Structures are given as structure tokens and as C-alpha cells.
Amino acid sequence: MTNSSAPILFIAMVACFLMGASAFQIGSSSSRPHINTISSSQLPRAPSSSSLYSTPMKDLPAAVDTENDGSTTDFIFSEISSNDVVVFSATYCPHCVQTKQLFERMGIPAKIINLDKISNGLGPAKDSVAVKLLELTGQRTVPNVFVLGKHLGGNDEAQDAARSGALKQMLSNTNGLAL
């Protein structure tokens, strides 16, 4: 492809975009570049937002292998059983900031545990809090939110529960929280 064909390709891509193409495949046959458009129906579908956020909160497993890591698992269970809302977080994570702000706006006291600020919070070690949370919940990311001892999910699930009123309803039955 020559430099003189670059403006033509750009114009063609913009035109395809305006006509509703979702993706482009750029190629050349002989000396003329061309763009094949791919419609949105040809792209793989992501799950609908309702199927992503309408899952109920998950109970934690009754028993976890605590060999060589009982203290980490004990720490996690202690925190989620002694606080109505626990957010396992990281100070540098923008989704964590959004979740913390959500609970602040709603006036919900949440125990925030910044994994990047505790010695065994992050990292690949099998006794790190992050690895234990992954084993317990199946969630790899922070924030990792627990409400009344049950795993709610991440920021998207917390925001969705707040929008739908489910979060307020879950917590309205607890002692001491006036929502």
C-alpha cells in the first residue's frame, strides 16, 4: 500500500462506519487496496446486560482447604462475617473508587480492605488474599464486594444492585443501618 492510498482508505473506513459496519478488514488485491466490512450480525455476541447482572448473590463454600493458608482464609471469613458490607479493593483501581463512592453516597458503612496496602494482599502466592478470594468466589478482579456475608460481585454488580434498589432492600433489614 502506498502513501497516496492512505487518505482513500481512511475515507472508505469512515464511510463504512457511517453506513453501520461494525468492523473492517483491510487488504489489497493487485495494486488496489480494499476494505471489507463486517456487519454487527457477523460479530460474536456478548451476553446481554440483564444476564450479567441479574444473578443472585452467591453463598460462599462451607469448607475451604485451609492447609498452610488457614490464617488468610480465616481473615477473609472474619471480615465478611463481622461487617455488613466488605469491599476488597486496590487504591489504584478506578472501579474500586466508583464502588467506594457508591457506598459513601448511599450512606452505607463499608469495610474497605485495600489489598495493595496489606502484606499478603496481592500477588501470586497461594496464601495471598487475592488468590484466596479467587478460590472462594471465582472472581479475579477488584473490587470484590460482599454484602451480609454473601458475595455480590464487582463494581458492575454493586452499581446494578444500587440502581435496582436491591442493595438498599438487602441492607434495610439489618440492625443499625438506616437507609
Side-chain angles (χ1 to χ4, degrees):
M1 184 181 328
T2 65
N3 285 342
S4 64
S5 62
I8 296 169
L9 275 175
F10 177 74
I11 293 169
M13 288 172 53
V14 170
C16 290
F17 175 75
L18 293 174
M19 292 187 306
S22 299
F24 311 99
Q25 181 180 19
I26 301 174
S28 63
S29 59
S30 64
S31 63
R32 298 194 70 184
H34 66 276
I35 298 175
N36 294 329
T37 61
I38 301 171
S39 71
S40 59
S41 64
Q42 295 171 296
L43 296 174
R45 294 264 182 226
S48 70
S49 61
S50 61
S51 68
L52 288 175
Y53 309 123
S54 61
T55 57
M57 293 193 329
K58 300 163 267 317
D59 288 316
L60 294 177
V64 176
D65 177 20
T66 58
E67 183 180 326
N68 299 323
D69 59 19
S71 62
T72 302
T73 305
D74 291 344
F75 166 74
I76 293 169
F77 278 111
S78 172
E79 292 298 331
I80 63 176
S81 64
S82 60
N83 296 285
D84 288 336
V85 178
V86 179
V87 179
F88 291 94
S89 178
T91 57
Y92 54 81
C93 169
H95 301 290
C96 297
V97 170
Q98 290 176 349
T99 299
K100 292 181 242 184
Q101 289 172 344
L102 169 73
F103 288 115
E104 287 173 15
R105 265 193 325 272
M106 293 183 73
I108 298 172
K111 172 75 181 260
I112 308 297
I113 301 169
N114 288 308
L115 298 181
D116 59 325
K117 296 297 183 186
I118 58 176
S119 61
N120 68 334
L122 296 173
K126 77 176 196 171
D127 67 337
S128 75
V129 175
V131 169
K132 288 292 141 201
L133 285 169
L134 172 61
E135 290 174 5
L136 291 170
T137 67
Q139 180 178 323
R140 297 184 170 281
T141 58
V142 290
N144 205 327
V145 181
F146 292 82
V147 177
L148 300 176
K150 295 187 179 199
H151 182 239
L152 176 63
N155 179 55
D156 289 341
E157 291 81 8
Q159 299 287 342
D160 189 55
R163 269 191 301 277
S164 71
L167 185 60
K168 189 174 181 178
Q169 183 179 5
M170 286 183 269
L171 292 167
S172 66
N173 298 327
T174 63
N175 296 335
L177 284 179
L179 302 176

